[in-house]
Amino acid sequence: IRVMAEHFLNVTQYIFRHRGFCFSTAFLVGDQPEVIKLDLSTEERQLAYARMVKKRFHDLQARYMIVILPACLPQLSVEDMQAVEQDRWPSVQSDGGNTTEGLIAFISSRKEGEVWHVPFRRTEQGIVFGEREVMPAIVSENWMVNPNRHLALAMN
């Protein structure tokens, strides 16, 4: 599944770099992959698409789900990340000015998952991507696997 996720991520990066736009997309992997273009422009639409994708995942009896979307993540220090507890999150939340743009790939099965982050920056020559980072502890509430519920909710 990681090979498929890397392929889908590379295609997304290529389109973004050469065409200047990036669709948020879900890939449901079962006997045949199904691709769903996501509209995450509002919180209501994000919740509706999350429910629809989960329903399709179960209806298709898919084994894996890969969701790739652009995101802006707060850059927290190691100390801030270690200090995150359910009742302490507001005190370590980023002020919004210390963020990084990137592509996020959620890779989930019914029991496990991980998240990849590929930072990018916009230059006069176009979009430049950084190295992919694996973030196994942060998994979105909206895209299936959720081993660290309070941290995932705070990040969302």
Side-chain angles (χ1 to χ4, degrees):
I1 191 62
R2 286 181 179 94
V3 171
M4 288 182 84
E6 190 167 346
H7 170 73
F8 294 144
L9 186 59
N10 287 339
V11 169
T12 301
Q13 286 177 302
Y14 179 85
I15 292 169
F16 195 17
R17 182 180 291 131
H18 295 283
R19 300 216 176 124
F21 61 88
C22 180
F23 291 120
S24 298
T25 310
F27 304 89
L28 304 177
V29 182
D31 294 333
Q32 296 288 325
E34 180 174 319
V35 180
I36 303 170
K37 181 181 162 201
L38 306 172
D39 178 357
L40 307 178
S41 58
T42 65
E43 190 171 327
E44 292 80 20
R45 287 185 177 173
Q46 181 175 340
L47 292 172
Y49 273 91
R51 282 191 294 269
M52 187 267 294
V53 167
K54 288 179 193 176
K55 182 177 181 337
R56 291 294 300 148
F57 180 84
H58 291 291
D59 290 349
L60 290 171
Q61 297 181 350
R63 294 181 298 278
Y64 298 99
M65 177 174 65
I66 302 165
V67 177
I68 299 175
L69 52 97
C72 196
L73 294 179
Q75 293 180 321
L76 301 177
S77 69
V78 172
E79 293 79 21
D80 287 343
M81 291 299 287
Q82 290 172 342
V84 172
E85 296 173 16
Q86 192 165 7
D87 58 342
R88 289 201 54 214
W89 180 257
S91 66
V92 297
Q93 198 165 16
S94 173
D95 62 6
N98 192 18
T99 60
T100 181
E101 285 186 290
L103 294 177
I104 303 293
F106 297 91
I107 305 163
S108 298
S109 71
R110 294 176 191 271
K111 296 185 181 190
E112 62 184 356
E114 67 185 32
V115 177
W116 295 350
H117 173 240
V118 181
F120 66 83
R121 60 185 178 10
R122 300 169 196 269
T123 68
E124 290 179 10
Q125 291 77 29
I127 296 171
V128 177
F129 290 98
E131 291 295 316
R132 181 180 74 207
E133 305 165 8
V134 178
M135 303 177 354
I138 302 172
V139 179
S140 171
E141 172 91 8
N142 297 321
W143 305 111
M144 299 275 295
V145 179
N146 201 7
N148 284 326
R149 185 177 181 85
H150 73 278
L151 184 55
L153 290 172
M155 289 300 288
N156 284 341

